[in-house]
Amino acid sequence: MKNFKNLISLFLVIVSFSFISCENEPLDSSLLGANSTNNNSGGGGNSGGGGNSGGGGNTSSGDYWPAALNNTWSFSTNGAASQQMKIVSTSSLNGYTYYNFNSILGQGTQVSGTAAMGMRKGSGDYYIKVYSSSANIGGGITANQSDFEFLVLKDYLSVGQTWNGSYTQTTSYSGGGISLPSATTNSNYVGTILGTGLTEIVDGETFTNVIKLSIAQTVVITGNPTATNLTTTYWFAKNVGIIKSETVNAGTTSTSVLTDYILN
């Protein structure tokens, strides 16, 4: 039972903050409302608004995530073969336009499943929405998780400025011949701008006008007294998008680098 609980925790943490594509999967057509809040601190009066804010009249410093159908970014994770993250459709929700990607969670040695994400942006604020997902966590058991949204970048902030947010997820289980209670995950995160106007060399290509930031997340799962802490560092290049990400979780580091991209 201990190993089973570890698998559940692993599933929740992976889906909570990993969005580099591992395998192309059909896009989930359902768009559920996110239960999240986002607040800005140290931003000189630049408010990120509530959980569904598209920007509060801030002046963006440029386009750090170009959004158009068929835009494609290929990543290599920990030296593995490149996987694609591609914009496959657009959707309208609560008055905002979401650019939907193919997949965020593919096949793994312990957990397999599908999930898809959308991105929206406005006035220099960039949000990632992870749609509802399901995964086979072993033993014939399927975990079904509700969607969530978080604020990944404020491109107008200066070095050292921060923002914070939180969201709640619910995971239910089916199959396996046993009855399991639903689990609730409460996540709190803090984003910090670490650098602006940087020049970075990634996979042999030089990128300029790069913003470097970190997202520190604390995840608390119902019934588990121990919080999970993980930090992801992102590098966003102007007019390109994410060129590199590095996640540290329980002493393990996972690094993804951009190897190729097609922008329309």
Side-chain angles (χ1 to χ4, degrees), residues 3-259:
N3 290 336
F4 174 71
K5 290 182 178 179
N6 289 340
L7 283 177
I8 293 175
S9 299
L10 177 63
F11 169 71
L12 291 169
V13 171
I14 288 176
V15 175
S16 291
F17 232 74
S18 174
F19 68 90
I20 297 301
S21 174
C22 294
E23 180 176 86
N24 295 336
E25 295 286 351
L27 181 69
D28 190 333
S29 60
S30 63
L31 298 176
L32 305 178
N35 181 10
S36 63
T37 59
N38 296 291
N39 301 285
N40 182 70
S41 63
N46 293 322
S47 174
N52 287 323
S53 171
N58 304 301
T59 301
S60 174
S61 62
D63 190 354
Y64 283 85
W65 204 341
L69 285 175
N70 297 316
N71 277 6
T72 304
W73 297 262
S74 297
F75 294 90
S76 174
T77 301
N78 296 336
S82 295
Q83 302 292 338
Q84 288 189 339
M85 186 167 67
K86 181 178 181 179
I87 296 179
V88 295
S89 69
T90 61
S91 300
S92 179
L93 179 64
N94 296 328
Y96 302 116
T97 297
Y98 285 83
Y99 296 87
N100 299 318
F101 295 83
N102 49 355
S103 179
I104 63 164
L105 180 61
Q107 301 298 320
T109 57
Q110 291 179 295
V111 178
S112 63
T114 63
M117 79 169 189
M119 181 269 290
R120 66 177 173 92
K121 56 185 177 178
S123 301
D125 291 344
Y126 300 74
Y127 290 82
I128 289 174
K129 182 177 181 66
V130 178
Y131 299 121
S132 56
S133 61
S134 62
N136 181 351
I137 61 174
I141 299 171
T142 297
N144 303 291
Q145 188 174 54
S146 62
D147 65 342
F148 64 93
E149 184 172 275
F150 67 94
L151 178 56
V152 69
L153 170 63
K154 288 176 172 280
D155 70 24
Y156 48 84
L157 295 186
S158 301
V159 175
Q161 291 187 303
T162 65
W163 65 95
N164 61 81
S166 63
Y167 55 86
T168 299
Q169 305 159 262
T170 299
T171 304
S172 60
Y173 306 96
S174 59
I178 58 176
S179 178
L180 295 172
S182 297
T184 299
T185 304
N186 295 303
S187 299
N188 295 280
Y189 62 90
V190 177
T192 305
I193 299 296
L194 302 178
T196 61
L198 304 177
T199 296
E200 297 287 339
I201 299 176
V202 176
D203 195 45
E205 182 172 353
T206 300
F207 297 92
T208 58
N209 294 313
V210 173
I211 295 177
K212 180 182 180 181
L213 64 99
S214 67
I215 302 286
Q217 185 189 26
T218 300
V219 181
V220 178
I221 302 173
T222 301
N224 188 343
T226 302
T228 297
N229 298 291
L230 60 158
T231 299
T232 301
T233 303
Y234 298 106
W235 288 258
F236 282 82
K238 190 174 183 178
N239 299 322
V240 176
I242 297 172
I243 59 173
K244 182 179 178 181
S245 69
E246 184 177 88
T247 298
V248 178
N249 178 21
T252 300
T253 300
S254 177
T255 302
S256 294
V257 297
L258 184 69
T259 57

